[in-house]
Amino acid sequence: MNEVLAHFLNNIHSKNPGEPEFLQAVAEVATSITTFIQSEPRYKNTKILERMVEPERVVIFRVPWLDDKGEIQVNRGFRVQMNSAIGPYKGGLRFHPSVNLSVLKFLAFEQIFKNSLTGLPMGAGKGGSDFNPKGKSDNEVMKFCQSFMTELYRHVGEDTDIPAGDIGVGNREIGFLFGQYKRIVGSFNGVLTGKGNEWGGSQIRPEATGYGLIYFVDEILKTKNDSIKGKNVTISGSGNVAQFAAEKCIENGAKVLTMSDSHGFIYDPAGIDKEKLEYIKQLKNKTHGPIKEYAAKFQCAYFEGERPWKIKCDIALPNATQNELDAKDAALLVEQGCICVAEGANMPCTPDAVAVFLKAKIFYAPGKAANAGGVAVSGLEMSQNSQRYSWTRTEVDQKLKSIMREIHQRCLQYGKEPDGYINYERGANISGFVKVADAMLAQGVV
Ligand code: NDP
């Protein structure tokens, strides 16, 4: 490791003890862009990266609420306002027991580069709570959301910070959060994205991350005059991103072999078709059952406590959560002929796994580029809200496609290696960095 990088990382480690996910995300970016920064005095001398790793602001707050038994529950709420150089803070809210400051700082840091890559004027933020919506009644989720927003409202706004959904925060939660915000401030505005179509939401927002991921994979494969048609695809997760990634794969003629949840994965060698996917959507979105019920219904294999990466595939799409694919999984994927790994989730591949992909020179698309479709359509939702207008499904889908194409182009600009291999990790990091860094330079030391 070069000396400058080692010094930078040492400093970050000592300033952020007990934040492994945040340190991992910073190390990943710093490792891939330090040489570039060293070659550009305007970034090196102004300590842009040192400034970027420091959130502009972090808010941590108490979220007390009454459960259905009348007992008091207390959760912790967070909003990390990471960087506002190119627009208001923008990024999702995650409700999951594993949420802590480290997880949200890593997600907010990733969001800087992702939002920049979309080409839209969005800064970076992330927030959430250690609240677990699983097993809670609608009434309890509403009570929690109302209490959460009763503090959060003073820190967000349509021109300052616009949260959206993430793990554990879907349509229902966004509805409750929006209702409480509107009630407190007395204004109907675009403070949240991911709203229902009837009340200010954008067409294609639920589909955007999953669809965008497959549009990006298509761009990748086009560089080899190839396409996703006829490819065998393994997917992890069965939530929002996984469902719509699977839907687009099926629509484009690929065979989806696996899906998973936090308990295990199903392997359907016949392929998950449209009807079977509809069953998964009902199972996960309505009855909230475990994925293993799919295996019982469609008579296929279920692997308790395992992840799908041992199944032979052409394309692997980790779409569940961070660090769900390690070096051992990566080596097996490469050995079994996988040609492309594209991240629907944020940081699902460990650094060692990424190293395996880059060494083998298979396509590896980092989440900050490949899953940027979600936040991109959130940006389009903001534009529609500002105009008091809504675009059709076809219009939004076309815009999403062209944004994913442009993100791919931006990755090529800095990611193409002399032998023709495209290092999407470096391409995405440098391209995302340059736009934000230039804006920070223009705005002075703030
Ligand atoms: P959902 O809550 O809709 O789904 C999450 C899925 O991942 C579920 O299948 C869940 O299983 C599984 N999962 C969650 N935690 C774990 C875990 N610790 N181990 C194994 N499986 C787990 O979330 P999304 O689909 O929205 O998000 C998935 C990923 O995509 C996240 O990394 C998120 O940050 C990222 N992302 C999401 C975007 C969006 O627009 N929604 C945008 C960009 C990135 P179970 O059903 O058992 O809970």
Side-chain angles (χ1 to χ4, degrees):
M1 189 189 294
N2 92 33
E3 216 175 290
V4 177
L5 178 61
H7 178 72
F8 173 81
L9 291 179
N10 272 341
N11 201 17
I12 300 296
H13 272 258
S14 56
K15 273 183 130 173
N16 302 278
E19 297 184 6
E21 292 86 359
F22 176 61
L23 296 171
Q24 181 183 334
V26 171
E28 185 267 321
V29 169
T31 305
S32 79
I33 69 175
T34 297
T35 312
F36 170 76
I37 293 177
Q38 291 304 304
S39 69
E40 299 279 344
R42 69 184 192 285
Y43 302 137
K44 186 178 105 181
N45 300 338
T46 50
K47 300 202 173 161
I48 290 289
L49 190 60
E50 287 83 343
R51 283 149 68 181
M52 253 184 216
V53 297
E54 209 55 60
E56 289 179 16
R57 189 174 303 100
V58 176
V59 188
I60 302 182
F61 50 96
R62 176 170 69 206
V63 190
W65 55 282
L66 281 178
D67 68 16
D68 287 347
K69 292 191 219 112
E71 276 176 32
I72 296 168
Q73 301 290 337
V74 188
N75 287 97
R76 186 173 289 174
F78 302 84
R79 188 69 185 165
V80 179
Q81 299 184 326
M82 198 74 195
N83 194 300
S84 62
I86 61 169
Y89 309 109
K90 179 90 197 94
L93 296 171
R94 179 177 289 191
F95 292 169
H96 193 271
S98 64
V99 162
N100 56 37
L101 187 57
S102 170
V103 168
L104 295 178
K105 277 175 68 182
F106 119 62
L107 290 163
F109 183 69
E110 289 280 293
Q111 204 81 41
I112 299 176
F113 303 86
K114 184 188 308 201
N115 293 5
S116 165
L117 279 167
T118 65
L120 300 173
M122 298 182 291
K126 200 84 191 187
S129 173
D130 58 355
F131 173 73
N132 186 1
K134 271 192 206 158
K136 304 288 190 302
S137 68
D138 285 351
N139 184 50
E140 288 175 323
V141 172
M142 181 178 76
K143 293 260 192 59
F144 171 81
C145 288
Q146 290 179 340
S147 181
F148 184 83
M149 186 51 89
T150 300
E151 174 57 34
L152 187 70
Y153 88 94
R154 64 188 90 239
H155 309 289
V156 297
E158 60 180 334
D159 293 319
T160 48
D161 186 351
I162 305 93
D166 190 75
I167 292 180
V169 179
N171 221 251
R172 174 183 60 169
E173 289 76 16
I174 293 290
F176 293 147
L177 291 164
F178 184 76
Q180 184 73 351
Y181 178 84
K182 179 165 61 74
R183 185 185 190 194
I184 295 172
V185 303
S187 160
F188 192 114
N189 64 48
V191 65
L192 290 160
T193 58
K195 300 185 290 299
N197 282 149
E198 309 78 13
W199 42 282
S202 175
Q203 296 288 338
I204 304 279
R205 176 60 190 93
E207 296 89 340
T209 309
Y211 280 16
L213 175 68
I214 305 309
Y215 296 154
F216 196 82
V217 168
D218 255 344
E219 291 301 316
I220 293 177
L221 296 176
K222 264 194 228 159
T223 66
K224 294 271 182 218
N225 297 319
D226 201 354
S227 83
I228 200 167
K229 192 165 180 211
K231 299 282 187 296
N232 287 320
V233 181
T234 49
I235 291 180
S236 66
S238 49
N240 172 273
V241 178
Q243 289 174 16
F244 289 106
E247 185 168 290
K248 195 48 86 177
C249 282
I250 297 164
E251 203 181 303
N252 290 359
K255 193 194 245 190
V256 178
L257 300 174
T258 68
M259 284 178 83
S260 74
D261 64 13
S262 40
H263 308 288
F265 81 93
I266 55 110
Y267 170 41
D268 187 344
I272 300 169
D273 61 19
K274 234 173 129 188
E275 287 69 37
K276 291 172 175 173
L277 181 62
E278 205 41 54
Y279 172 83
I280 292 180
K281 285 187 183 174
Q282 289 293 324
L283 178 69
K284 283 294 165 185
N285 308 347
K286 299 271 181 324
T287 53
H288 306 288
I291 195 81
K292 78 167 169 217
E293 289 184 17
Y294 176 103
K297 173 141 178 96
F298 297 107
Q299 300 292 304
C300 72
Y302 170 69
F303 297 83
E304 176 79 22
E306 291 190 55
R307 303 176 297 199
W309 315 127
K310 64 180 182 184
I311 303 299
K312 183 174 157 53
C313 67
D314 304 304
I315 296 169
L317 305 175
N319 288 349
T321 194
Q322 62 268 13
N323 292 327
E324 55 160 320
L325 194 162
D326 62 22
K328 214 167 125 231
D329 301 321
L332 193 56
L333 280 168
V334 170
E335 192 187 310
Q336 300 202 108
C338 175
I339 57 167
C340 174
V341 178
E343 298 180 337
N346 286 309
M347 209 168 73
C349 301
T350 65
D352 291 348
V354 175
V356 171
F357 301 140
L358 297 183
K359 184 157 179 243
K361 300 213 168 207
I362 68 162
F363 289 123
Y364 161 68
K368 55 174 78 77
N371 71 32
V375 76
V377 173
S378 276
L380 300 179
E381 183 171 330
M382 287 162 65
S383 304
Q384 293 170 81
N385 291 166
S386 299
Q387 293 179 58
R388 300 272 191 272
Y389 190 69
S390 45
W391 295 320
T392 64
R393 202 178 153 81
T394 312
E395 282 173 310
V396 179
D397 200 25
Q398 283 307 326
K399 287 183 203 299
L400 171 62
K401 259 187 208 152
S402 87
I403 289 171
M404 298 314 293
R405 207 176 303 128
E406 284 159 18
I407 294 174
H408 185 263
Q409 282 304 321
R410 290 188 183 104
C411 291
L412 291 190
Q413 193 186 345
Y414 292 102
K416 206 150 190 183
E417 296 190 342
D419 64 358
Y421 176 66
I422 305 162
N423 184 329
Y424 286 94
E425 186 196 39
R426 191 166 62 234
N429 284 335
I430 298 180
S431 189
F433 171 84
V434 165
K435 181 177 173 190
V436 178
D438 288 346
M440 288 173 75
L441 285 179
Q443 292 167 26
V445 183
V446 291

